């Protein structure tokens, strides 16, 4: 019944490892997003995909690579993890752009890099 | 470039009080403004959405106002309860179809 789901919910890993976070939405939305929440709770957009195509790619290290196999999924793959990557990552989705928008968020994935 | 600021960063009030959270944005060219709450360890919950043509929206004990010309929005919470304790985030949907976020106000309601 969950609208936007993320797995895993918690991820603890060593520096230098490669990891992926999965996101799925069952709302039929066209656009999906990845956000990073920093230590001050500020949400920063990382990527936005519309119909499997990248439309927003903010300044993030190229170690971060989003993958959208279909409209309902947007996975985040991170190579060579660093300590500074520790944060909570949120996935979101939104319906077709019409000027009346709400983003629906997943529960977040808490990443801790040791 | 759109910037969203929320004041105060943290607020602690006794249960039962009415309170106001503030949000300001620098560019009035927005489609809408939303208020969210975030609970520790949980995702974001959308509370209220105000279209750019609207002045306010109400949901239960919550009332959000929007003044586009001055770049301000307020979230009014009536008769606060301990369950209202959370971080409240304001976000504007700008002309580039991006949701621009404030840093949030951490609200603590003391029983």
């Amino acid at each position: 019944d969950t609208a936007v789901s993320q797995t895993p919910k918690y991820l603890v890993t060593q520096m230098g490892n490669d990891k992926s976070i999965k996101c799925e939405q069952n709302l039929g939305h066209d656009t999906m997003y990845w956000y990073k929440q920093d230590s001050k709770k500020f949400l920063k957009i990382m990527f936005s995909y519309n119909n499997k195509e990248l439309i927003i790619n903010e300044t993030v290290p190229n170690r971060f690579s989003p993958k959208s196999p279909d409209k309902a999924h947007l996975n985040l793959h991170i190579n060579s993890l660093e300590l500074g990557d520790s944060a909570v990552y949120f996935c979101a989705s939104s319906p077709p752009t019409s000027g009346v928008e709400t983003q629906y968020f997943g529960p977040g994935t808490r990443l801790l890099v040791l | 470039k759109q910037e969203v600021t929320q004041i105060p960063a943290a607020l602690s009030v006794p249960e039962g009080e009415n309170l106001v959270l503030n949000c300001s944005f620098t560019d009035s060219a927005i489609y809408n403004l939303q208020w969210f709450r975030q609970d520790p360890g949980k995702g974001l919950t959308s509370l209220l959405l105000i279209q750019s043509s609207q002045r306010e929206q109400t949901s239960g004990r919550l009332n959000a106002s929007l003044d586009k010309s001055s770049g301000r929005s307020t979230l009014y919470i009536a008769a606060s309860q301990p369950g209202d304790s959370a971080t409240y985030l304001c976000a504007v949907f700008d002309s580039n179809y991006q949701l621009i976020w404030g840093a949030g106000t951490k609200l603590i309601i003391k029983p």
Side-chain angles (χ1 to χ4, degrees):
Chain A
D1 205 27
T2 304
V4 182
S5 59
Q6 293 179 228
T7 53
K9 191 172 182 181
Y10 298 97
L11 182 56
V12 181
T13 188
Q14 299 287 332
M15 261 191 342
N17 284 349
D18 303 338
K19 291 292 179 184
S20 291
I21 306 173
K22 296 184 178 180
C23 178
E24 177 181 3
Q25 53 95 3
N26 61 7
L27 298 166
H29 289 167
D30 289 333
T31 307
M32 296 184 72
Y33 310 79
W34 274 107
Y35 288 87
K36 178 180 180 180
Q37 185 180 44
D38 63 21
S39 57
K40 295 182 179 180
K41 303 288 187 182
F42 193 78
L43 278 170
K44 297 181 180 178
I45 191 166
M46 300 173 69
F47 302 102
S48 173
Y49 267 71
N50 183 270
N51 280 319
K52 295 173 56 180
E53 290 188 14
L54 181 66
I55 58 173
I56 294 174
N57 182 2
E58 293 297 303
T59 306
V60 298
N62 56 15
R63 298 181 294 104
F64 291 79
S65 54
K67 297 274 194 302
S68 182
D70 55 57
K71 269 178 49 173
H73 296 84
L74 181 62
N75 304 324
L76 184 64
H77 188 76
I78 314 171
N79 289 327
S80 302
L81 278 156
E82 300 178 357
L83 294 177
D85 296 333
S86 296
V88 182
Y89 292 84
F90 286 96
C91 175
S93 72
S94 63
T97 302
S98 63
V100 182
E101 291 305 335
T102 294
Q103 293 191 352
Y104 296 79
F105 283 79
T109 295
R110 189 173 296 275
L111 171 65
L112 180 59
V113 182
L114 303 175
Chain B
K1 183 180 177 182
Q2 180 73 269
E3 292 181 3
V4 180
T5 304
Q6 290 187 245
I7 295 173
L11 182 63
S12 180
V13 299
E15 181 179 4
E17 281 196 6
N18 303 326
L19 59 100
V20 175
L21 306 180
N22 297 293
C23 172
S24 62
F25 46 96
T26 55
D27 187 346
S28 61
I30 64 171
Y31 285 110
N32 62 48
L33 182 145
Q34 300 179 54
W35 282 94
F36 296 80
R37 69 174 280 170
Q38 183 180 29
D39 296 278
K42 298 183 181 179
L44 292 165
T45 302
S46 180
L47 297 172
L48 289 165
L49 183 152
I50 311 176
Q51 302 294 352
S52 62
S53 58
Q54 297 174 324
R55 299 284 286 183
E56 65 177 351
Q57 283 285 340
T58 299
S59 175
R61 294 181 295 108
L62 305 179
N63 177 278
S65 68
L66 174 65
D67 184 342
K68 266 183 55 175
S69 59
S70 66
R72 293 180 185 176
S73 175
T74 61
L75 179 67
Y76 175 83
I77 303 177
S80 58
Q81 303 170 358
D84 295 331
S85 297
T87 296
Y88 289 80
L89 294 155
C90 164
V92 299
F93 200 70
D94 73 357
S95 54
N96 293 317
Y97 299 108
Q98 278 188 267
L99 205 59
I100 311 297
W101 297 80
T105 294
K106 185 174 182 179
L107 176 64
I108 297 174
I109 307 298
K110 297 175 288 187

